[in-house]
Amino acid sequence: SAVISQKPSRDICQRGTSLTIQCQVDSQVTMMFWYRQQPGQSLTLIATANQGSEATYESGFVIDKFPISRPNLTFSTLTVSNMSPEDSSIYLCSVYRTGDVEQYFGPGTRLTVT
Amino acid sequence: EDKVVQSPLSLVVHEGDTVTLNCSYEVTNFRSLLWYKQEKKAPTFLFMLTSSGIEKKSGRLSSILDKKELFSILNITATQTGDSAVYLCAVNKRSDNAGNMLTFGGGTRLMVKP
């Protein structure tokens, strides 16, 4: 299995500020993804973090709002920019390794924007 | 547009009851269907189904896929309070640029009372 850590685990931020969430995996992985889970909702894919190139964003998500980095095969960051209360969610990092059955999820970052 | 729909939205049962959770989907280029259990933040993997009619079983949990009717069920027998969680269904579709993209259903919130 892949062990994933995320930092911070939770944060309370003021509107208009930005927060960068880190995702670290204990082994090299093929794919890294960022998901958002708004209160009471299911998971929505924000983007696929591509190593060495720009992330691939899903419909409704843009790079200016959610810049993503992936400098190597074990680490990625997601920044939530110019936050508003609507950004209050759990943000989850997920990874997939070629040949694995499952896709693993990190413990999540609970973000509250006031 | 790809769609994954779970029912019921929520369910309250007593310990010892048997429950059946439903997941229907409409996606192009279906690859597999996955079930996850989410108790706090990180979803934990339960099953991956790729072939119709083959039951996957793990203890009191079992699941089966019907690719003709485009649905899956997750059964939990002799429920325990520890089964209380949100159960998520996700469909993995074949994609040229991101090998393991998951589209999640809205989840079924199960509460098992003593």
Side-chain angles (χ1 to χ4, degrees), chain B:
Chain B
E1 184 181 331
D2 297 335
K3 206 162 46 171
V4 180
V5 178
Q6 292 185 244
S7 63
L9 290 179
S10 64
L11 198 51
V12 180
V13 300
H14 288 93
E15 273 192 317
D17 289 350
T18 293
V19 297
T20 298
L21 309 183
N22 304 293
C23 175
S24 64
Y25 62 91
E26 291 178 30
V27 301
T28 53
N29 300 320
F30 173 89
R31 176 188 283 183
S32 60
L33 185 144
L34 295 87
W35 284 96
Y36 285 86
K37 177 182 181 182
Q38 186 176 30
E39 293 177 86
K40 290 182 181 177
K41 285 194 286 189
T44 53
F45 174 80
L46 296 175
F47 298 111
M48 185 180 81
L49 303 157
T50 55
S51 302
S52 274
I54 299 175
E55 185 183 54
K56 292 280 183 87
K57 198 168 169 63
S58 175
R60 296 176 293 103
L61 277 67
S62 63
S63 184
I64 198 161
L65 174 68
D66 186 327
K67 288 169 73 173
K68 182 180 176 187
E69 300 297 331
L70 307 183
F71 78 90
S72 174
I73 61 171
L74 175 68
N75 279 319
I76 309 175
T77 59
T79 51
Q80 302 171 356
T81 55
D83 295 327
S84 297
V86 175
Y87 290 83
L88 297 166
C89 169
V91 173
N92 184 7
K93 55 186 287 183
R94 300 181 191 280
S95 172
D96 290 334
N97 61 351
N100 209 53
M101 291 172 53
L102 298 180
T103 300
F104 281 86
T108 293
R109 184 175 297 275
L110 173 66
M111 180 182 294
V112 181
K113 292 187 171 181

Side-chain angles (χ1 to χ4, degrees), chain A residues 9 31 33 35 37 42-43 45 48 58 90 92 96 101-103 105-108, chain B residues 34 36 38 40-43 45 48 88 97-102 104-107:
Chain A
S9 59
M31 312 293 298
F33 305 92
Y35 286 84
Q37 188 173 29
S42 190
L43 280 72
L45 180 64
T48 303
E58 296 302 302
I90 297 174
L92 293 138
Y96 174 73
V101 171
E102 69 175 284
Q103 187 166 313
F105 285 85
Chain B
L34 295 87
Y36 285 86
Q38 186 176 30
K40 290 182 181 177
K41 285 194 286 189
F45 174 80
M48 185 180 81
L88 297 166
N97 61 351
N100 209 53
M101 291 172 53
L102 298 180
F104 281 86

